[in-house]
């Protein structure tokens, strides 16, 4: 069994100074190394996207990260975007293309925050553009003026579905998670099964029954992953799935 599977991370396309850069959060890279036992491979996001298949032929898993940008609503038939909403068309194009190809070959996928929303959209689901503006839903955003340690501190409980992966890994019916998102799941895609909900009913995690390992979570388990056994277990399970995939993959 391969000791360190290769996991691809679609990058964000952002301007630094006068030029555009492909970037990925170091906390995701560290979580893959420390908790999943995987080798991170950063995948540049371009528009139009580079072909997915040559990448996936060499990868054992796909990690879809969070980001400061939100998915453009035309990808899920949503209303026009609100003024000031940050978008990254290159990330949208790359991540959604990669997801379709990855799901077709049953590549392990772990999708976090924006990544969970990308997974839902790729499978035909829709999003709330502003969760805090939806009647009955609470404000899931962080305080932008707070220190980062406070922004990523436990913020609210989520109820874990009995018999699900997350309840098994947590050994509990509920956990308290951080909350750093403005968008959220509206209509869950038909191919996904709920794994966790917030007390306001918002879907906080889901997995696919049609794939060996496809899991999306709305919170950020990568944050100081080694400090939280439950979050460490999520990445460990993902890493194990990537190792299993590598063993059966034919790369001849």
């Amino acid at each position: 069994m391969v000791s360190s599977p290769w996991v691809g991370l679609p990058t964000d396309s952002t301007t630094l100074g006068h030029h555009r850069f492909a970037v990925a959060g170091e906390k995701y890279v560290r979580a893959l190394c420390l908790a999943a036992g995987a080798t991170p491979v950063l995948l540049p996001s371009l528009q139009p996207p580079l072909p997915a298949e040559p990448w996936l032929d060499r990868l054992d898993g796909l990690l879809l990260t969070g980001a400061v940008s939100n998915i453009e609503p035309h990808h899920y038939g949503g209303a026009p975007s609100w003024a000031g909403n940050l978008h990254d068309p290159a990330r949208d194009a790359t991540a959604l293309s990669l997801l379709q190809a990855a799901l077709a070959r049953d590549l392990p996928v772990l999708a976090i925050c924006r990544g969970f929303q990308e997974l839902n959209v790729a499978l035909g689901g829709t999003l709330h553009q502003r969760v805090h503006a939806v009647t009955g839903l609470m404000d899931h955003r962080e305080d932008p003026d707070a220190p980062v340690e406070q922004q990523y501190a436990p913020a609210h409980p989520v109820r874990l579905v009995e018999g699900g992966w997350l309840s098994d890994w947590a050994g509990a019916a509920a956990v308290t998670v951080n909350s750093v998102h403005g968008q959220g799941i509206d209509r869950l895609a038909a191919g996904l099964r709920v794994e966790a909900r917030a007390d306001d009913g918002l879907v906080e995690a889901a997995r696919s029954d049609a794939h060996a390992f496809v899991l999306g979570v709305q919170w950020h388990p990568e944050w100081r992953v080694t400090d939280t056994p439950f979050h460490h277990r999520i990445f460990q399970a993902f890493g194990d799935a990537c190792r299993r995939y590598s063993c059966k993959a034919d790369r001849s």
Side-chain angles (χ1 to χ4, degrees):
M1 180 173 287
V2 66
S3 60
S4 184
W6 286 20
V7 173
L9 296 82
T11 55
D12 301 322
S13 178
T14 188
T15 300
L16 299 175
H18 297 293
H19 304 280
R20 294 201 69 78
F21 286 76
V23 302
E26 186 176 296
K27 59 195 173 91
Y28 301 102
V29 173
R30 286 186 176 276
L32 279 176
C33 295
L34 296 175
T39 298
V41 181
L42 304 190
L43 309 177
S45 291
L46 300 174
Q47 192 182 36
L50 295 174
E53 297 299 338
W55 278 339
L56 298 183
D57 284 345
R58 294 162 174 81
L59 294 175
D60 305 305
L62 190 64
L63 175 66
L64 300 171
T65 69
V68 296
S69 64
N70 289 315
I71 302 169
E72 288 191 293
H74 70 81
H75 288 293
Y76 53 90
S81 187
W82 47 274
N85 195 2
L86 295 176
H87 293 301
D88 184 346
R91 163 76 187 249
D92 289 351
T94 298
L96 294 174
S97 172
L98 276 169
L99 261 174
Q100 295 292 352
L103 293 170
R105 61 172 63 197
D106 203 13
L107 190 80
V109 175
L110 177 59
I112 295 172
C113 199
R114 187 198 210 269
F116 180 28
Q117 296 162 17
E118 290 167 341
L119 175 63
N120 190 55
V121 169
L123 289 172
T126 63
L127 304 176
H128 293 300
Q129 291 189 49
R130 292 174 132 177
V131 171
H132 61 281
V134 178
T135 301
L137 298 182
M138 63 187 187
D139 192 341
H140 288 250
R141 298 172 298 177
E142 77 281 11
D143 179 353
D145 297 321
V148 66
E149 292 80 6
Q150 184 176 330
Q151 291 179 350
Y152 282 84
H156 66 76
V158 295
R159 292 172 281 112
L160 307 179
V161 173
E162 184 178 359
W165 289 355
L166 295 181
S167 64
D168 179 48
W169 299 338
V175 294
T176 302
V177 301
N178 50 43
S179 190
V180 192
H181 64 101
Q183 292 199 152
I185 304 300
D186 179 7
R187 186 185 73 249
L188 189 66
L192 296 176
R193 170 190 292 206
V194 175
E195 278 275 328
R197 289 185 185 272
D199 285 345
D200 60 3
L202 188 71
V203 175
E204 289 274 344
R207 66 178 169 94
S208 170
D209 277 336
H211 300 87
F213 191 104
V214 172
L215 174 68
V217 298
Q218 187 58 74
W219 65 90
H220 286 268
E222 82 286 351
W223 174 253
R224 294 182 174 173
V225 65
T226 56
D227 294 344
T228 306
F230 172 49
H231 291 166
H232 190 283
R233 183 69 185 91
I234 292 173
F235 273 88
Q236 183 182 51
F238 175 55
D240 289 345
C242 294
R243 278 180 279 277
R244 289 192 296 270
Y245 181 89
S246 180
C247 285
K248 70 177 183 179
D250 181 6
R251 295 193 173 89
S252 59

